Amino acid sequence: DINSHSDSQFCKETISKLGHQDEAATLLADGAYASTGNHEQATQNNIELVTTALIGKIPNPVQGDFIIDADKHEVIQCPAGNKPYKSRYYEKTGMYRASFNKKTCEQFPFNDQCGVKSQKKSAFVMISEKMVQRASYLKKLSTEAYRTLSKKRNGVEGIPSVLRRRYLVDRIPVRGLVRTKIWFGFKIGAINAKRVLKGAAALLQKSNFSQTLHYFLPNHHWGGNNLSLAI
C-alpha cells in the first residue's frame, strides 16, 4: 500500500494525543517531522519539539534576527538593528516587503546573507514570519544543547537499524499479533542482554586495571575514574 500519511501529520497527531504537559517535555524527531505549525502546536502544549534538521529550502541563520510585529503586520527591525523607512504586508502570500536606506545596508557586513536586494536609490527585503522562525530554529540547531539532543535521537535511531540488519525483523517467521509481539520481544531482549554483558565486561576490565595499579603503585591515590599520581 502507498503511504500517503506524511511524517509531519503523524507528528501533529502525536502532539495532539500527548496534550498539554504539566511539566516541560521534549519530543525528539528527525527533519521530516518538522514544520512551523508543529513547533507552534508543541509550544502551546508545553512541549519542545526538537528536530535534527529542516526540510525544504534552508534559510540563512542571519534572517532569524529580523523582528516582525505580527499584530501590526510590519517589519520592526533588520538583523543590523535598522528600522525600515517603509514596510508593506501582502496578506495573500504572508510576505513582508521592508525598504531600507541603500547606503545603510551596504555598511552591514552580512548584507549578502539577509536577503537584501539593492535598487537605484534604496534596498529592500522580502521576508515572512515563517522564514524568520525557521532561521531562528536553524540557529538553535547549531548550539551545544541541541547537538546533544540530536545525538540522543541518533542513538535511538540506531536500534531499528540493528534490529533490521542483525536480527532480520523485516522477515518475521511467525503469524498473528501475539506471536509476533513475543518474537519481537525476544529480539529486543537479545539487544538488552548483549548491552548488559558488554557493560559488565567493561566494569570487570576496569576493576582489574584498578587492582593492577594498586599493586604496582600502592602509594598513589586511585579514585573512581580519576587517576592521580603524586610525584
Side-chain angles (χ1 to χ4, degrees):
D1 294 339
I2 298 175
N3 182 9
S4 59
H5 212 63
S6 69
D7 290 335
S8 179
Q9 185 61 33
F10 274 121
C11 182
K12 185 178 297 183
E13 293 170 358
T14 299
I15 295 172
S16 296
K17 290 178 181 178
L18 291 173
H20 189 274
Q21 302 295 302
D22 295 330
E23 296 183 2
T26 302
L27 182 62
L28 304 179
D30 64 24
Y33 293 84
S35 77
T36 304
N38 288 351
H39 282 285
E40 291 177 351
Q41 182 185 5
T43 300
Q44 292 171 1
N45 286 281
N46 198 25
I47 299 172
E48 183 178 19
L49 175 61
V50 178
T51 54
T52 54
L54 288 175
I55 57 174
K57 184 178 180 180
I58 304 300
N60 194 298
V62 173
Q63 294 180 318
D65 293 329
F66 274 96
I67 299 177
I68 296 176
D69 189 326
D71 296 326
K72 295 183 179 179
H73 292 306
E74 63 176 325
V75 177
I76 302 298
Q77 185 175 290
C78 78
N82 299 314
K83 179 180 175 61
Y85 66 80
K86 184 171 66 175
S87 179
R88 183 177 179 183
Y89 175 64
Y90 300 91
E91 187 174 357
K92 287 185 178 180
T93 60
M95 297 294 293
Y96 293 81
R97 180 188 171 103
S99 300
F100 299 88
N101 181 281
K102 184 178 180 180
K103 291 184 178 180
T104 302
C105 287
E106 289 175 345
Q107 296 173 0
F108 181 50
F110 301 108
N111 59 6
D112 60 333
Q113 300 178 40
C114 66
V116 67
K117 295 181 180 180
S118 296
Q119 294 181 311
K120 189 174 182 179
K121 295 182 179 180
S122 64
F124 73 94
V125 173
M126 298 298 295
I127 196 79
S128 70
E129 294 170 40
K130 286 186 177 181
M131 289 170 64
V132 174
Q133 291 170 0
R134 283 170 57 82
S136 297
Y137 186 71
L138 191 62
K139 290 174 68 176
K140 285 184 178 180
L141 287 178
S142 64
T143 62
E144 185 61 32
Y146 272 64
R147 283 198 294 267
T148 301
L149 290 172
S150 297
K151 290 178 181 177
K152 288 183 179 181
R153 196 208 70 83
N154 293 337
V156 174
E157 189 73 17
I159 296 176
S161 177
V162 172
L163 286 169
R164 300 185 73 173
R165 289 185 294 103
R166 184 171 298 174
Y167 296 96
L168 308 176
V169 295
D170 288 329
R171 295 187 292 275
I172 299 178
V174 297
R175 293 182 179 275
L177 180 60
V178 176
R179 290 181 179 179
T180 300
K181 282 185 175 181
I182 294 174
W183 188 87
F184 198 86
F186 279 126
K187 298 296 183 180
I188 297 296
I191 291 178
N192 291 336
K194 190 168 184 178
R195 287 185 173 182
V196 170
L197 292 174
K198 185 177 180 180
L203 287 173
L204 181 61
Q205 183 179 11
K206 186 176 180 180
S207 176
N208 290 338
F209 180 62
S210 175
Q211 291 174 6
T212 302
L213 283 174
H214 274 300
Y215 179 80
F216 287 105
L217 302 170
N219 296 324
H220 294 301
H221 173 69
W222 171 258
N225 295 327
N226 299 317
L227 175 62
S228 176
L229 299 179
I231 298 174

